[in-house]
C-alpha cells in the first residue's frame, strides 16, 4: 500500500477560512476541489434546474395527462436500496401530486433478473395499468419496453445507468447519461432522477392551474428517501448530490422523516438526531438491500411507504433479521471465495490483474458483496459468480463485479463481448460495479478474456493500492467536538471522508473481538497517547509506522474519547 497526502491548495484553504469555515474543514474542502464558500451552499434553490434534464418535460406531460385522466400508474422498481427508495419516492410523490391509482411492482432477483423484461411488462399489463414507470432501470430494456407498448401501455423510463448500443423506444425517457442530455450531474442516483421528474411534474401541474405556488404540495419531505438512496448506491457525491443528501440529513436530524426510516434507525441501533452519511451506507442501506438479496424487496419498499409506525417497526425488525442472515451467508462465502482467489496466484507474491471465481453453492444474492470484499483485500477487479436459481436457467451463472480506480468495469465487459461473441449472455453496470450472465461452460473463457483486458489496461501504478489522505492531524483537533463537526458533513464516494496519515509510535497491540480478528492499539500521536482500532486486521505492526486513520469517538460509561480507526499502514 502506498499512502499519499492530498495536495491542499493554500489559497483556496485560506479563502474558505476567511469566509468563516472552520480551519480544519477549510483544509479538507480545499483538498477536495472546493474553491469558493458559495460552493458549500446546500440550499434547495442551488439545485440544478429540472428543465436541463433531458426528457423531464416530456415525462411531466405524460404523468400530468395520466393523473388528469385518472389512469392507473404502475412503477417498476429495482431490488437494491436505490431502486427501493426511488420506488417509494415515485409512489409517494405521484399520490401527493394527485395520482389516485398508483401501484408498484418489483422484480424478483432470481426469477426475473434485472430490469423491465417482457415478463414484467406482461405482469404490469395484467394489473390493469395504463402507464408503466421504471425507476433505477429501463435504459437497457429494449425488449421489455417493446412488449409493454405492444400491450397498449404507455412507458416512462427513469434511470441513471449507462445506455447500451440501442435505446428502448419509450413514450418518455429521463436519464442524464442518455445521448444529448446536458444535465451536469451525470452521477445522480436513480432516486434523484425520480425526484427531479416529480419537480418537473409539479411545475407542469402548476402551469395547468391544478394548484398555485402557495398551495402546491411540498416535495421536500421526500428528501430523506433521496438522501438514503443516493448514498447507498455509492454514486459520486458531486455538488448537486451533496445538496440532496445534506437536505435529507437535515430533515432526519430534525425528526422529519418517514416512519420506515425512523424505524430502520432504531433497528440498526443508530440515532437519527445525529444521522450521518455513514448511517445510510453501512446501517440503513444494507438492511434494505438484504431484502432484495435474500427475500423480497417488497418488504423494503413497504417499510418506506407505510405511515403506520407499528407496521414500520415490524418491517424494520424483519429487515434487520434478514440482514443478519445475509451477514452469516456472506461470511462463509467470503472465506471460500478468498481461498479460491488466492489459489489463482499460488506462491506468487502478487495476484493476477483480475480475479474471477465461481462456485455452484454460492448464493447469487450475495455475490456482489463478496466481490467487493475480495477487491478490497487484493486490490484487483473482481467478479464472483453463482449458479442461477431461476427456473429453466440452470445452465447459466450470474456474476457481480467490483473494480478499482482506473479500470472501467462495464467498458471491460463490452470489450469481452466484442472479442468473444456468445460468452456474455448479457451485461450492464457502471465503472466501479457491473453484472453479467454467462453460460456455465463458458466461465473459463470469460475468466481468460476478462484477465486479458485487465492485463492490457492496468499498469503497475494502478495495481498498487493507493490510499489518499489529508496528511498529518494537529493534536488540538483530536477532540470529540471536532469529530462531531466532521461527522455532520456530507462525505462519500468522490468526496472522501477525512482520512489522516502520519508516523506514530505503537506502544502496545493486541487482538480483540470474538474471532480475535481486530487489532486494538495503544498509540503515541505527537507525544499524546491515543487508542486505535484496525478492524479485520490481525498482523502485528512495528514500533513505529506510517498509519492512515479516520477519527471516531468511543463512548464508555458516559465518557467520550477520540480514537483512531486505522485504514491502512505503509510498512
Amino acid at each position: 500500500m502506498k499512502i499519499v497526502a492530498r495536495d491542499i491548495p493554500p489559497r483556496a484553504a485560506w479563502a474558505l477560512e476567511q469566509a468563516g469555515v472552520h480551519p480544519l474543514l477549510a483544509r479538507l474542502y480545499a483538498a477536495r476541489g472546493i474553491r469558493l464558500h458559495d460552493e458549500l451552499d446546500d440550499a434547495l434553490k442551488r439545485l440544478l434546474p429540472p428543465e436541463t434534464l433531458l426528457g423531464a418535460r416530456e415525462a411531466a406531460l405524460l404523468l400530468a395527462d395520466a393523473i388528469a385522466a385518472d389512469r392507473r400508474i404502475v412503477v417498476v422498481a429495482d431490488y437494491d436500496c436505490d431502486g427501493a427508495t426511488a420506488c417509494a419516492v415515485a409512489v409517494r410523490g405521484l399520490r401527493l401530486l394527485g395520482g389516485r391509482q398508483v401501484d408498484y411492482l418489483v422484480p424478483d432477483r432470481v426469477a426475473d433478473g434485472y430490469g423491465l423484461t417482457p415478463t414484467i411488462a406482461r405482469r404490469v399489463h395484467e394489473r390493469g395499468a395504463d402507464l408503466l414507470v421504471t425507476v433505477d432501470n429501463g435504459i437497457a430494456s429494449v425488449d421489455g419496453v417493446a412488449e409493454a407498448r405492444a400491450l397498449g401501455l404507455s412507458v416512462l423510463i427513469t434511470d441513471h445507468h449507462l445506455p447500451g448500443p440501442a435505446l428502448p423506444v419509450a413514450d418518455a425517457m429521463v436519464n442524464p447519461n442518455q445521448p444529448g442530455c446536458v444535465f451536469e450531474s451525470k452521477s445522480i442516483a436513480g432516486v434523484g432522477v425520480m425526484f427531479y421528474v416529480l419537480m418537473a411534474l409539479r411545475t407542469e401541474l402548476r402551469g395547468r392551474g391544478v394548484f398555485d405556488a402557495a398551495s402546491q404540495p411540498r416535495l421536500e419531505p421526500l428528501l430523506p428517501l433521496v438522501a438514503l438512496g443516493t448514498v447507498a448506491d455509492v454514486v459520486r457525491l458531486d455538488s448537486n448530490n451533496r445538496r440532496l443528501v445534506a437536505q435529507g440529513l437535515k430533515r432526519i436530524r430534525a425528526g422529519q422523516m418517514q416512519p420506515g426510516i425512523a424505524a430502520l434507525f432504531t433497528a440498526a441501533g443508530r440515532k437519527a438526531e445525529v444521522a450521518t452519511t455513514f448511517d445510510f451506507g453501512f446501517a440503513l442501506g444494507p438492511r434494505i438491500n438484504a431484502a432484495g438479496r435474500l427475500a423480497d424487496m417488497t418488504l423494503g419498499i413497504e417499510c418506506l411507504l407505510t405511515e403506520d409506525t407499528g407496521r414500520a417497526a415490524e418491517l424494520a425488525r424483519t429487515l434487520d433479521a434478514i440482514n443478519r442472515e445475509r451477514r452469516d451467508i456472506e461470511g462463509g462465502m467470503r472465506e471460500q471465495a478468498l481461498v479460491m482467489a488466492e489459489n489463482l496466484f499460488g506462491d506468487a507474491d502478487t495476484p493476477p490483474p483480475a480475479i474471477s471465481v465461481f462456485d455452484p453453492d454460492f448464493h447469487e444474492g450475495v455475490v456482489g458483496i463478496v466481490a467487493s470484499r475480495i477487491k478490497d483485500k487484493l486490490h484487483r477487479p473482481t467478479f464472483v459468480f453463482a449458479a442461477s436459481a431461476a427456473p429453466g436457467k440452470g445452465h447459466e451463472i450470474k456474476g457481480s463485479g467490483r473494480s478499482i480506480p482506473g479500470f472501467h468495469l462495464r467498458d471491460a465487459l463490452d470489450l469481452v463481448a466484442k472479442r468473444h461473441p456468445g460468452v456474455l449472455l448479457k451485461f450492464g453496470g457502471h465503472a466501479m460495479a457491473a453484472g453479467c450472465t454467462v453460460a456455465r461452460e463458458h466461465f473459463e473463457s470469460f475468466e481468460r478474456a476478462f484477465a486479458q483486458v485487465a492485463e492490457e489496461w492496468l499498469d503497475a501504478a494502478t495495481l498498487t493500492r493507493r490510499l489518499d489522505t489529508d496528511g498529518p492531524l494537529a493534536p488540538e483537533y483530536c477532540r470529540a467536538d471536532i469529530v462531531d463537526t466532521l461527522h455532520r458533513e456530507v462525505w462519500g464516494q468522490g468526496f472522501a471522508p477525512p482520512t489522516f496519515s502520519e508516523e506514530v509510535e505503537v506502544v502496545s497491540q493486541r487482538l480483540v473481538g470474538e474471532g480475535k480478528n481486530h487489532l486494538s492499539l495503544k498509540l503515541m500521536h505527537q507525544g499524546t497517547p491515543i487508542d486505535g482500532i484496525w478492524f479485520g486486521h490481525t498482523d502485528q505492526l512495528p514500533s513505529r509506522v506510517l498509519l492512515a486513520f479516520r477519527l471516531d469517538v468511543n463512548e464508555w460509561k458516559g465518557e467520550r474519547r477520540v480514537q483512531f480507526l486505522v485504514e491502512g499502514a505503509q510498512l
Side-chain angles (χ1 to χ4, degrees):
M1 171 179 286
K2 186 177 182 180
I3 294 176
V4 180
R6 296 183 179 91
D7 290 330
I8 303 172
R11 288 191 177 186
W14 179 85
L16 292 171
E17 191 173 340
Q18 291 299 303
V21 178
H22 186 284
L24 179 58
L25 282 175
R27 169 183 152 192
L28 296 172
Y29 283 140
R32 286 155 181 77
I34 301 296
R35 297 291 176 265
L36 302 172
H37 184 262
D38 190 52
E39 296 176 61
L40 300 175
D41 184 356
D42 59 16
L44 285 173
K45 67 179 184 294
R46 294 296 308 276
L47 286 175
L48 295 172
E51 52 268 24
T52 63
L53 187 57
L54 182 64
R57 166 71 174 160
E58 291 76 12
L61 293 172
L62 192 64
L63 289 167
D65 289 345
I67 290 172
D70 198 25
R71 296 191 181 115
R72 185 168 182 79
I73 303 171
V74 173
V75 178
V76 175
D78 186 26
Y79 37 70
D80 67 358
C81 187
D82 186 17
T85 52
C87 182
V89 164
V91 172
R92 283 178 171 274
L94 290 172
R95 289 173 180 171
L96 192 66
L97 294 171
R100 295 195 302 171
Q101 298 190 75
V102 183
D103 197 4
Y104 73 91
L105 184 152
V106 58
D108 180 272
R109 178 187 293 268
V110 173
D112 300 311
Y114 173 76
L116 174 60
T117 62
T119 302
I120 294 295
R122 289 190 286 272
R123 283 167 59 188
V124 171
H125 179 257
E126 289 166 4
R127 290 195 178 190
D130 302 295
L131 171 60
L132 185 158
V133 179
T134 71
V135 290
D136 192 32
N137 74 94
I139 194 67
S141 302
V142 175
D143 294 340
V145 171
E147 178 70 10
R149 297 192 77 196
L151 293 169
L153 294 169
S154 298
V155 178
L156 162 61
I157 290 173
T158 75
D159 199 355
H160 70 127
H161 293 93
L162 297 173
L167 293 174
V169 182
D171 294 89
M173 185 158 54
V174 188
N175 183 333
N177 290 301
Q178 66 178 305
C181 185
V182 299
F183 191 71
E184 293 178 16
S185 181
K186 300 299 182 184
S187 55
I188 191 170
V191 65
V193 173
M194 189 62 226
F195 183 73
Y196 263 79
V197 168
L198 292 174
M199 287 196 289
L201 171 59
R202 186 175 65 175
T203 299
E204 174 62 24
L205 293 174
R206 195 167 61 238
R208 296 186 183 193
V210 176
F211 36 66
D212 57 25
S215 63
Q216 68 181 4
R218 298 182 65 83
L219 297 177
E220 292 90 334
L222 300 174
L223 285 166
L225 293 164
V226 177
L228 170 57
T230 298
V231 174
D233 209 43
V234 203
V235 295
R236 188 172 68 85
L237 292 186
D238 58 23
S239 57
N240 204 63
N241 280 338
R242 289 203 311 276
R243 290 185 180 107
L244 290 170
V245 173
Q247 288 290 330
L249 277 173
K250 286 180 180 180
R251 283 162 175 78
I252 289 173
R253 291 168 184 164
Q256 301 166 4
M257 71 197 101
Q258 290 72 26
I261 289 185
L264 285 167
F265 269 97
T266 300
R270 311 294 294 182
K271 297 178 180 178
E273 59 268 25
V274 289
T276 67
T277 50
F278 182 90
D279 294 321
F280 291 155
F282 295 94
L284 275 66
R287 282 165 172 78
I288 294 175
N289 277 327
R293 295 184 189 281
L294 300 187
D296 181 357
M297 185 48 92
T298 301
L299 292 168
I301 296 172
E302 282 299 311
C303 183
L304 300 176
L305 283 176
T306 184
E307 288 297 323
D308 184 324
T309 55
R311 175 69 173 151
E314 177 188 351
L315 287 165
R317 286 192 296 269
T318 300
L319 292 170
D320 184 60
I322 296 171
N323 190 53
R324 278 196 289 270
E325 180 187 358
R326 185 272 304 169
R327 283 200 298 259
D328 290 341
I329 294 172
E330 177 203 332
M333 278 178 57
R334 183 178 64 246
E335 290 181 14
Q336 185 178 347
L338 190 56
V339 169
M340 296 169 69
E342 290 173 341
N343 285 340
L344 294 175
F345 56 102
D347 296 330
D349 292 333
T350 59
I355 302 289
S356 299
V357 296
F358 160 63
D359 190 289
D361 294 328
F362 282 171
H363 192 298
E364 68 175 275
V366 187
V367 287
I369 301 176
V370 175
S372 181
R373 301 292 189 262
I374 295 177
K375 180 267 299 181
D376 289 342
K377 186 169 182 64
L378 299 180
H379 192 65
R380 293 293 187 270
T382 300
F383 265 93
V384 177
F385 286 84
S388 174
K393 301 289 186 179
H395 64 291
E396 295 180 356
I397 59 175
K398 292 183 177 179
S400 187
R402 299 294 184 269
S403 194
I404 61 175
F407 189 82
H408 197 297
L409 207 53
R410 187 199 170 278
D411 286 356
L413 291 178
D414 187 50
L415 185 54
V416 169
K418 289 172 179 172
R419 287 178 172 177
H420 305 273
V423 168
L424 286 173
L425 299 177
K426 55 184 175 182
F427 68 90
H430 301 290
M432 302 303 287
C436 64
T437 302
V438 178
R440 189 180 294 216
E441 65 267 23
H442 288 155
F443 169 70
E444 290 183 358
S445 298
F446 170 84
E447 183 180 17
R448 287 192 299 270
F450 182 56
Q452 179 63 37
V453 175
E455 181 90 39
E456 296 169 7
W457 288 6
L458 295 170
D459 56 21
T462 311
L463 289 171
T464 300
R465 188 192 307 272
R466 172 184 166 127
L467 185 51
D468 291 315
T469 74
D470 296 291
L473 177 70
E476 62 262 29
Y477 293 141
C478 289
R479 306 197 314 263
D481 63 309
I482 294 293
V483 179
D484 293 341
T485 296
L486 295 179
H487 284 182
R488 280 193 293 269
E489 301 304 306
V490 174
W491 312 105
Q493 182 70 24
F495 206 77
T499 302
F500 305 97
S501 61
E502 58 190 295
E503 189 174 282
V504 298
E505 179 185 349
V506 180
V507 178
S508 67
Q509 51 191 314
R510 63 190 177 93
L511 294 177
V512 297
E514 287 186 15
K516 299 294 183 183
N517 56 348
H518 308 309
L519 188 62
S520 176
L521 300 163
K522 297 289 185 183
L523 305 170
M524 191 65 70
H525 169 248
Q526 296 191 30
T528 303
I530 195 162
D531 292 339
I533 183 80
W534 193 345
F535 292 112
H537 186 85
T538 56
D539 295 335
Q540 295 287 294
L541 295 175
S543 59
R544 292 199 66 84
V545 63
L546 176 62
L547 288 185
F549 56 89
R550 293 185 292 113
L551 294 180
D552 196 22
V553 173
N554 186 27
E555 297 190 30
W556 177 251
K557 295 184 178 179
E559 185 180 3
R560 306 179 76 232
R561 299 178 61 183
V562 175
Q563 67 174 354
F564 289 174
L565 300 182
V566 180
E567 295 284 299
Q570 185 170 303
L571 303 174

